[in-house]
Amino acid sequence: MFDTDGAWMEQPQDGWPGKVTKAGDEHLTVEYLMFRQTFRRDNGRASEAFRRQWIETAETAGHNARRSAAAATLRKHGIRLDTGHRLTLERLEQVAALASTPTSS
């Protein structure tokens, strides 16, 4: 489970672990920490709380963390990605690795 304001709430980088306790056609109920929240199945966003919370599978969270790390590496080297770019995660990581490779003068 992730929260937009997670950084100041000491949210772990890979989110808080949660457990689906109820699954319906349109919603999932997830228990995490000492809370219970309902999320939409179609987009993983909270039904309440101004949609500032969302859920992801561990696999998706890991994928997103890798993508963010590669993009941060590129930004560090002055490379910006356009919104909607079509680089796969693997290609993005390859470009980030190339950008980090020292060059000889």
Side-chain angles (χ1 to χ4, degrees), residues 87-96:
L87 293 174
T88 64
L89 173 59
E90 292 74 21
R91 184 64 58 164
L92 191 60
E93 288 176 329
Q94 289 171 348
V95 174

Side-chain angles (χ1 to χ4, degrees), residues 13-67:
Q13 183 176 352
D14 54 351
W16 290 291
K19 179 179 179 181
V20 176
T21 57
K22 183 178 177 184
D25 291 339
E26 295 181 16
H27 295 92
L28 298 169
T29 301
V30 176
E31 291 183 4
Y32 62 98
L33 300 175
M34 57 184 174
F35 303 102
R36 179 179 296 144
Q37 180 66 269
T38 302
F39 296 89
R40 294 177 48 97
R41 284 185 80 119
D42 61 350
N43 64 10
R45 292 282 179 187
S47 299
E48 300 172 8
F50 306 106
R51 298 190 178 144
R52 298 172 67 97
Q53 299 171 332
W54 69 96
I55 55 173
E56 295 176 355
T57 64
E59 181 180 85
T60 300
H63 182 274
N64 292 340
R66 287 174 56 198
R67 180 174 291 283

